[in-house]
Amino acid sequence: QVHLVESGGGLVQPGGSLRLSCAASGFTFDRYAIGWFRQAPGKEREAVSCISGSDSAIYYAATLKGRFTISRDNAKNTVALQMNSLKPEDTAVYYCATDLNYYCDPEPQQRYWGQGTQVSVSS
């Protein structure tokens, strides 16, 4: 069955960097899109980035201002999110997910989610 596990979160000072990883199993990983999402306390979950299975097309939320980079390693069944120049407003639980589609779909019929990893940006 589909299983996603996030790791790499932690506490970092403003301006610092973190690299999150999403390890996947239970499906043909390289065929399907993987997305990163985040949810801060009291706020709705928002999309951060997505990388497709076919041709590895990449999408970012406009508010990221070029600070985040998504990549995938199909040999290791992982997707990474490199986060640089972190700001306090980046504090959230970060989740990875797949809808088992080849391409990134903003409104899929169903998503499979990981458990999330906490990112805290504070001085």
Side-chain angles (χ1 to χ4, degrees), residues 88-102:
E89 53 262 42
D90 295 320
T91 295
V93 177
Y94 284 71
Y95 301 87
C96 64
T98 183
D99 57 9
L100 300 183
N101 288 322
Y102 290 167

Side-chain angles (χ1 to χ4, degrees), residues 36-93:
W36 283 98
F37 301 78
R38 67 185 184 185
Q39 187 169 25
K43 291 190 173 183
E44 295 184 356
R45 185 175 294 176
E46 63 176 336
V48 172
S49 184
C50 182
I51 184 166
S52 71
S54 179
D55 297 325
S56 295
I58 292 172
Y59 305 89
Y60 296 105
T63 56
L64 295 179
K65 301 177 181 178
R67 297 181 295 114
F68 290 10
T69 302
I70 192 171
S71 61
R72 68 190 302 156
D73 186 339
N74 290 330
K76 297 181 178 179
N77 282 16
T78 59
V79 171
L81 184 69
Q82 178 68 44
M83 305 186 296
N84 299 323
S85 301
L86 285 163
K87 304 174 180 180
E89 53 262 42
D90 295 320
T91 295
V93 177

